[in-house]
Amino acid sequence: GAGSKGGEGEEDKEKRLRSQTLLAPDAVDIYLLRPSALRPGSFSGTHAAELAAKYKVATNTIRDIWNRRSWMKATLPYWTRSEVEDYRELCLKRAAPLPPWLPAPPR
């Protein structure tokens, strides 16, 4: 509010206190609970919201883990071969360098 140092409002402070920093094992657990792993072809916003509440993070954090936009290095050992290939194709399509931790394509 007005006159506070740093300019952090009450709402920002409350949001920061409610959210929690994830650890790699949490990200792996969340990834393993992604809808496609439980029931291929399914998606549940309710499932994302339940996990977000459990881990005290935003639902978009859950979806980013599921969609391999965050925690890639931690979850990589649990990606299917097609998920690795999809990620490789996405990097190439965006003309982005392939991350050094991404395994080489099978020969």
Side-chain angles (χ1 to χ4, degrees), residues 14-33:
E14 185 177 321
K15 185 182 260 187
R16 182 175 49 81
L17 292 173
R18 280 196 318 251
S19 68
Q20 179 173 310
T21 301
L22 286 176
L23 301 175
D26 298 328
V28 169
D29 290 344
I30 291 165
Y31 189 74
L32 293 175
L33 292 170

Side-chain angles (χ1 to χ4, degrees), residues 31 33-43 66 68 83:
Y31 189 74
L33 292 170
R34 69 197 185 283
S36 61
L38 302 174
R39 288 187 320 278
S42 68
F43 175 77
W66 286 349
R68 296 174 304 282
E83 288 170 335

Side-chain angles (χ1 to χ4, degrees), residues 82-93:
S82 70
E83 288 170 335
V84 171
E85 289 308 308
D86 289 348
Y87 189 81
R88 182 185 318 285
E89 287 176 25
L90 181 66
C91 288
L92 295 173
K93 191 184 298 183

